[in-house]
Amino acid sequence: MGLHILVINSGSSSIKFSLIEVNTQKTIISGLAEKLGLEKAILHTKYNGETQTIDLEKNNHETAMQAILKTLGEKGLGKEITAVGHRVVHGGEYFSSSTIITPEVLKAIEKCVPYAPLHNPANLIGITGALQAVPELPQVAVFDTAFHQSLPQHAYLYAVPMEWYKEHGVRRYGFHGISYRFVMQEAAKSLQIPLENSAFVCAHLGNGASITAILNGKSVDTSMGFTPLEGLVMGTRSGDLDPALIGYLSDVLKKDAHEIVDMLNKKSGLLGLSGLSNDMRELEAASAKGDEHAKMAIEIFVFRLAKYIAAMSVSLPRVDALIFTGGIGENSASLRKKVLERLAVLGYFVDEAANNETTRGKSGLISNQQSKKAIVINTNEELMIAMDTAALVKS
Ligand code: ADP
């Protein structure tokens, strides 16, 4: 019997889970407990092609974890679990790789709560819930930030007083590291180049979006910063802007700095610009029907992304390939085309047919013969977490 890893991604109002058979890379069962903390929490489960939804008795994370494990037990899958792998958003400077969870590890994750006040507490609840429910199983933490601990100082320090870094941990941490690690390995395989001698610019474009320069399998620069707010235009996040705006907006809107930052996180980006949606699919549909705001939001997203691809290229001695991943990167041929058109100056040219065909789970080159390579790779963060967990448990 192969290793079966239960992957848990516990967020502020939801817990996603999947049970993965690592050798075959198959997902046996998966699901989502959502609306936790809200009125009616529910648990959706997908097993053998069927979806089931049940109401949860209480709307907290503990009840959801118990319900998930009960569901696995009822289907006879509980005994098959070898270990539990948890996604943890922030590992600060404590963790540069995945790790078996011990009391010391839990303390270090707690110390990172001020850096990720919404995410890390939810991740911790997922971990403690699992530790209570299945104390006999090894548990592993896999961090979003860990991959970027290889950033050189010139890339992670902000040009602010050094005490802020030394005393308050103010620096670029970077996120989406689990996805980047998976995607770079797949890209190296697909392009048949050794990962230890590779140079990629990789754009992870989902609801959150970021871009990373990866040299020989290590992150050397990335667009998200101290928090996931920095960098690209995202679904509801502004990405880069003049930090002086926070003082100005605080005065004119009569709101404190935290409220402004909240609006930059939740009411900005594609949603703020379009006034319509944070969802790229909806914006593309609206734009096709002539909605000027949707069109403009997409153009701004594309412009910022192209600018960042150029900037990230400077962090590398050469670029072997530009990689697109995440819901938008994997599916929106029209957005990728627009980005590559802006990048003609860097030698990228789209292969229209290949680009149009590469959607919905397909991966492959989308650049033409004359172009530098641009490739679409499907990410799989759950599988990456399962593989890390299996590797640590085996060793
Ligand atoms: P998350 O960051 O929440 O994991 P995803 O990686 O699933 O999100 O990406 C979600 C984004 O991908 C949404 O903006 C969605 O509209 C977009 N997307 C998914 N499919 C398509 C598509 N066919 N065309 C354009 N955008 C798409």
Side-chain angles (χ1 to χ4, degrees):
M1 193 185 81
L3 291 175
H4 287 70
I5 306 296
L6 177 62
V7 175
I8 299 285
N9 183 353
S10 176
S12 53
S13 66
S14 69
I15 300 180
K16 269 193 223 161
F17 75 94
S18 39
L19 184 64
I20 296 178
E21 221 276 56
V22 176
N23 292 349
T24 58
Q25 308 199 341
K26 280 215 175 92
T27 300
I28 298 164
I29 184 169
S30 64
L32 167 74
E34 60 173 351
K35 306 196 177 163
L36 305 178
L38 302 171
E39 261 168 36
K40 265 195 186 159
I42 42 179
L43 172 65
H44 311 277
T45 311
K46 212 166 119 190
Y47 180 56
N48 279 342
E50 277 177 30
T51 318
Q52 186 192 10
T53 300
I54 56 166
D55 290 332
L56 294 176
E57 277 168 32
K58 291 187 192 154
N59 66 357
N60 57 32
H61 285 70
E62 287 79 5
T63 312
M65 276 304 299
Q66 285 161 6
I68 290 168
L69 289 158
K70 189 165 161 240
T71 305
L72 292 174
E74 284 165 2
K75 305 216 183 299
L77 300 167
K79 288 201 187 69
E80 299 208 358
I81 308 172
T82 326
V84 187
H86 296 269
R87 179 185 186 175
V88 180
V89 167
H90 219 302
E93 288 187 334
Y94 297 104
F95 301 103
S96 54
S97 60
S98 304
T99 182
I100 300 253
I101 295 174
T102 61
E104 289 70 38
V105 166
L106 278 178
K107 271 187 214 141
I109 297 173
E110 257 163 45
K111 283 195 189 146
C112 297
V113 165
Y115 300 155
L118 293 179
H119 291 104
N120 270 35
N123 301 155
L124 278 166
I125 296 174
I127 296 173
T128 42
L131 283 171
Q132 277 162 13
V134 278
E136 68 283 8
L137 293 181
Q139 315 237 355
V140 167
V142 182
F143 300 91
D144 263 314
T145 52
F147 180 57
H148 302 294
Q149 280 298 298
S150 54
L151 289 185
Q153 215 174 36
H154 64 249
Y156 76 69
L157 281 183
Y158 291 116
V160 294
M162 267 312 276
E163 304 86 80
W164 294 3
Y165 168 60
K166 289 186 178 150
E167 287 165 27
H168 304 294
V170 170
R171 54 162 287 174
R172 177 182 310 286
Y173 289 102
F175 298 86
H176 286 144
I178 304 168
S179 174
Y180 287 125
R181 274 175 51 230
F182 184 81
V183 165
M184 73 178 183
Q185 291 171 19
E186 294 296 305
K189 266 190 247 161
S190 171
L191 296 164
Q192 297 186 314
I193 49 178
L195 184 61
E196 52 297 349
N197 187 17
S198 64
F200 298 129
V201 170
C202 183
H204 176 113
L205 312 173
N207 277 312
S210 72
I211 181 159
T212 293
I214 306 173
L215 183 61
N216 306 331
K218 293 200 161 64
S219 171
V220 291
D221 195 8
T222 192
S223 62
M224 282 180 170
F226 180 72
T227 77
L229 181 55
E230 191 178 345
L232 302 176
V233 174
M234 312 180 210
T236 62
R237 297 182 208 139
S238 63
D240 291 347
L241 42 72
D242 183 342
L245 265 178
I246 295 177
Y248 173 75
L249 286 170
S250 174
D251 289 345
V252 295
L253 299 179
K254 311 260 182 293
K255 291 184 188 292
D256 71 21
H258 290 287
E259 290 173 292
I260 305 291
V261 171
D262 199 51
M263 289 171 77
L264 294 174
N265 268 309
K266 296 184 187 150
K267 301 242 181 324
S268 303
L270 295 172
L271 173 67
L273 283 167
S274 68
L276 191 68
S277 172
N278 63 307
D279 190 285
M280 186 57 85
R281 246 171 318 189
E282 283 181 33
L283 293 179
E284 286 184 346
S287 172
K289 284 190 195 138
D291 185 305
E292 287 299 323
H293 289 101
K295 191 170 165 214
M296 174 191 62
I298 296 170
E299 283 313 317
I300 295 172
F301 183 100
V302 166
F303 174 65
R304 178 89 55 89
L305 175 56
K307 209 157 105 166
Y308 252 105
I309 291 168
M312 284 294 149
S313 306
V314 175
S315 300
L316 297 168
R318 63 178 194 284
V319 181
D320 294 330
L322 166 62
I323 306 169
F324 288 95
T325 193
I328 300 171
E330 292 169 23
N331 292 299
S332 179
S334 87
L335 184 124
R336 293 187 308 238
K337 177 172 177 239
K338 287 195 180 91
V339 173
L340 293 186
E341 279 170 357
R342 279 209 175 264
L343 292 174
V345 63
L346 296 186
Y348 290 97
F349 305 101
V350 71
D351 177 327
E352 298 254 4
N355 185 43
N356 289 335
E357 276 163 26
T358 310
T359 56
R360 291 166 205 220
K362 288 201 196 126
S363 57
L365 280 179
I366 56 163
S367 48
N368 71 18
Q369 295 284 342
Q370 288 73 47
S371 172
K372 285 183 71 67
K373 289 192 172 78
I375 188 169
V376 174
I377 300 283
N378 294 295
T379 193
N380 191 337
E381 290 166 282
E382 283 76 21
L383 180 57
M384 189 76 247
I385 295 171
M387 292 194 304
D388 272 10
T389 305
L392 279 167
V393 169
K394 267 196 240 165
S395 67

